[in-house]
Amino acid sequence: MPKLTVDGRTTDVPEGKRLVLAIESTGVPIGHRCGGFARCTTCRVEFQAGEPDTMTRAEYAILSTRELLGQARLSCQIVCDHDMSVRPLLTKDNNPEWDTTGPPPEPTVTPEAAWYPKSEVAREASA
Ligand code: FES
């Protein structure tokens, strides 16, 4: 079972659980304002350890549009398949104007995930 560390607190999470949902289950009110469809970037996290080597095409597209590539990853586009340590960047606690954290994300990655090595996604995007 992978270990997930959120802001220094470590818990076991079910293999394959969507990272945004795993973070939420630790009690951190992380944003997911688009419902986990790689459109809002409010689920963004900073990796302290265990950043995946792969990225969905949808994540690459929105991170590059928002100039966040290399600074943050989208927890709605990542599944817990190994140990990770992250710091959520946008939560209801630091955005008190939010009425909610957002619509509940599906248990599986949406839109349907196509994972690529980060280097390959970047090469395709520039082609
Ligand atoms: S980009 Fe909106 S929840 Fe991840």
Side-chain angles (χ1 to χ4, degrees):
M1 201 176 261
K3 293 196 180 312
L4 173 64
T5 303
V6 182
D7 288 333
R9 267 192 22 228
T10 302
T11 54
D12 290 331
V13 294
E15 172 90 26
K17 186 164 182 143
R18 213 171 170 184
L19 180 57
V20 65
L21 296 173
I23 292 170
E24 197 167 56
S25 70
T26 70
V28 174
I30 187 167
H32 41 78
R33 305 281 288 175
C34 72
F37 280 84
R39 290 196 294 256
C40 67
T41 75
T42 58
C43 67
R44 75 183 77 151
V45 297
E46 180 183 279
F47 268 86
Q48 288 150 342
E51 180 176 348
D53 290 332
T54 56
M55 184 178 278
T56 65
R57 186 183 295 270
E59 180 181 8
Y60 179 84
I62 190 75
L63 288 182
S64 54
T65 300
R66 302 275 178 98
E67 299 184 354
L68 289 168
L69 214 50
Q71 298 174 43
R73 295 292 306 267
L74 298 183
S75 62
C76 75
Q77 299 296 300
I78 293 170
V79 294
C80 297
D81 56 7
H82 61 278
D83 294 354
M84 301 175 182
S85 178
V86 299
R87 185 169 72 90
L89 298 176
L90 297 173
T91 66
K92 190 162 177 355
D93 292 341
N94 62 23
N95 289 276
E97 72 281 9
W98 289 355
D99 50 350
T100 69
T101 51
E106 301 285 331
T108 56
V109 173
T110 51
E112 190 176 343
W115 276 282
Y116 295 92
K118 284 190 290 184
S119 56
E120 190 177 314
V121 174
R123 197 169 38 249
E124 282 188 20
S126 63

